[in-house]
Amino acid sequence: MSSEQQQRGQQQQASSSDSLLVASNPLSKSQPRDDVAYEDVTDSDFVYEFGGPIGAASMIVGFPLLMAYQYLCVYDNNGHFLGPDSLGDFGPWVGRMAARYWDIAAPSWTGARIYLGFTFFMVGLAYVCPGPVMYGYKLPSLGGKRLAYNCNALWSWWIAVITSLVLHFTGIFRLTEVVDNLGSIMSVAMIWSFVLAGALYAVTAARGQKHRASGNVVYDFFMGVCLNPRIGSLDLKLFTELRIPWPTLFFISLSCAFKQYEQIGYVTPESAFMVLAHWLYANACNKGEECVITSWDIFYELESWYLLFWNLAGVPFSYCYSSIYLLKNGPMGFPTVWVVFCYVLLVVGYFFWDTGNSQRNRFRMHWNNTLIKRNAFPQLPKSFIHNAKYLQTRHGNKLLIDGWYAYVRKPHYTADIAMALSWGLITGVGSFFPYFYLTFFVIVLVHRVGRDDARCARKYGADWDEYMRVVPWKFVPYIY
């Protein structure tokens, strides 16, 4: 039996709750193949991004300072901006800010115990939990080899949720300790991301296995030089993208809700909204882990400082400010119609985001012969398009032009932005910081879409022009 046949057999036997989906496409006489996704992106392709070494250095310094500033504004100043009294006061103001941050957010053993304890708990679950073994794209850098991924994030996620609730209600570890020590935990997370990024860079360089390196140490540290970092069966890139940032964000919001209950005797609809919003996001990321394997982030992006920093620290501790703001300033007392509108926007946005991501990734998985059906909650209609229409490229890849992708090229981004907007609107308009996620996210997505369009234009040529003719709109039909 060939290794490819063995891989397919392992996928079919991986879990009793999983089964291969079979779909045919009347527009093509070919059967699903496992070699059509071989990406001809080589390590010789190099171009400076993010402003080159100067931009990289600025963000390495600037992002931690931005997070510290936001924390002081939201946690210590009720969501209002902080600034010097005058231009001449700038130097002393920086000193006061630094001293205040150290007073309330310095790294501590408590913060390390909470953050690193959770991290290594999730690492342990990644090694022992059951789940289907999936295989990604064939990688040119590995001579066409396909890497195996143990997709057990769903088990890990639910075990973590249940364990945390048991610890909270038994009094062994009250979840309110998370928000009580949030600054310290955030500081530990930032330090941990630097340690991991530095260690990964050093080990990769020592082994002589750097990918797409520029030769500039600062830029290479920022952009990364390691393509597929692994510790045994644990894929660090997939792990750090899904299993730390979004669950941590959820637990921060849950901690805020429990803290609010302690303070006023009930949880407001607004705080409950944030718990629901972050549970939906974290749950979706973990229940659809096998879909992420076919994403650009996993098969091409390097594990870098900016990915590690943002996943381990930036996402959970910058996207949580709606929850913190509601805790510090609630109850908000918004009209019922406003709260209902926010809930509706969230749920509708989630439906199109979840199904949009599912349509796109399951289409890829179908043609990569790795598509499975999972009994993970919630399963939504429109998640898989049978007999999906596509544009066949001369390159060999197929571009989806069906489902939500018949109307816009990035429907999942549009839905993601709608959810991000709801996270801000539920707090009102009293502070900018609950809208930081929305602002930052729009900037990132616009940059990413431009980057993707340029790459696809080079890759597909005239076929990409035809694709844009068939689906001319990026985010919203007839608008953008």
Side-chain angles (χ1 to χ4, degrees), residues 384-403:
F384 178 68
I385 309 169
H386 293 276
N387 304 320
K389 298 176 183 178
Y390 58 82
L391 190 154
Q392 178 68 60
T393 68
R394 295 175 183 86
H395 176 276
N397 288 52
K398 297 171 176 60
L399 303 177
L400 179 63
I401 53 172
D402 208 342

Side-chain angles (χ1 to χ4, degrees), residues 412-478:
H412 53 303
Y413 285 175
T414 306
D416 221 342
I417 291 171
M419 289 193 295
L421 176 62
S422 74
W423 295 10
L425 292 177
I426 196 65
T427 69
V429 292
S431 173
F432 162 76
F433 294 100
Y435 294 89
F436 170 80
Y437 170 46
L438 172 66
T439 305
F440 179 80
F441 196 46
V442 169
I443 294 171
V444 168
L445 290 186
V446 170
H447 171 267
R448 182 161 189 168
V449 168
R451 182 187 181 199
D452 289 351
D453 283 348
R455 177 180 66 88
C456 290
R458 292 194 304 268
K459 179 176 177 180
Y460 298 120
D463 288 329
W464 187 251
D465 294 334
E466 174 63 13
Y467 173 65
M468 289 196 295
R469 185 194 68 79
V470 175
V471 190
W473 307 104
K474 293 181 181 180
F475 293 155
V476 182
Y478 305 104

